[in-house]
Amino acid sequence: LREKCYLNIYNEIFVSFGKNVGRNVFDQNRLGANIGYKITPKIAFELGFMQQTIQSRGLNITTNQNRFEFNRTGTFNIVTNF
């Protein structure tokens, strides 16, 4: 069982850059964890959780401040290794 189960933890930070980017360099962040089970050496199933933070590109019209969106979701993945 120990050879077939694994834990996958990730943290992805997205940033924008270039001449068209104003003051909002941060775009989004994805933080998550999955528990995996290998069915065969090339196929696995993962069950997990992801929290995503997104900053809007523009400002909130009424308050003139940045707007953030917070999302949480469960995930189910089928992973293949070709």
Side-chain angles (χ1 to χ4, degrees):
L1 186 63
R2 290 186 139 208
E3 296 84 26
K4 293 188 175 259
C5 293
Y6 61 92
L7 179 64
N8 175 6
I9 299 173
Y10 59 93
N11 186 14
E12 302 173 326
I13 299 173
F14 295 73
V15 294
S16 301
F17 54 90
K19 64 179 182 177
N20 294 326
V21 176
R23 62 184 202 174
N24 292 345
V25 176
F26 173 80
D27 183 53
Q28 63 179 286
N29 183 29
R30 296 178 186 167
L31 176 65
N34 297 315
I35 296 173
Y37 182 77
K38 294 180 185 177
I39 302 297
T40 70
K42 296 190 176 205
I43 299 173
F45 293 119
E46 294 180 348
L47 187 62
F49 174 82
M50 180 179 71
Q51 178 170 321
Q52 181 182 38
T53 304
I54 302 172
Q55 182 178 10
S56 65
R57 296 230 182 251
L59 298 175
N60 185 316
I61 297 170
T62 57
T63 63
N64 200 29
Q65 294 181 354
N66 291 318
R67 184 176 66 94
F68 286 89
E69 181 180 324
F70 301 97
N71 302 306
R72 292 182 184 96
T73 185
T75 59
F76 175 74
N77 305 314
I78 300 173
V79 181
T80 59
N81 184 8
F82 293 105

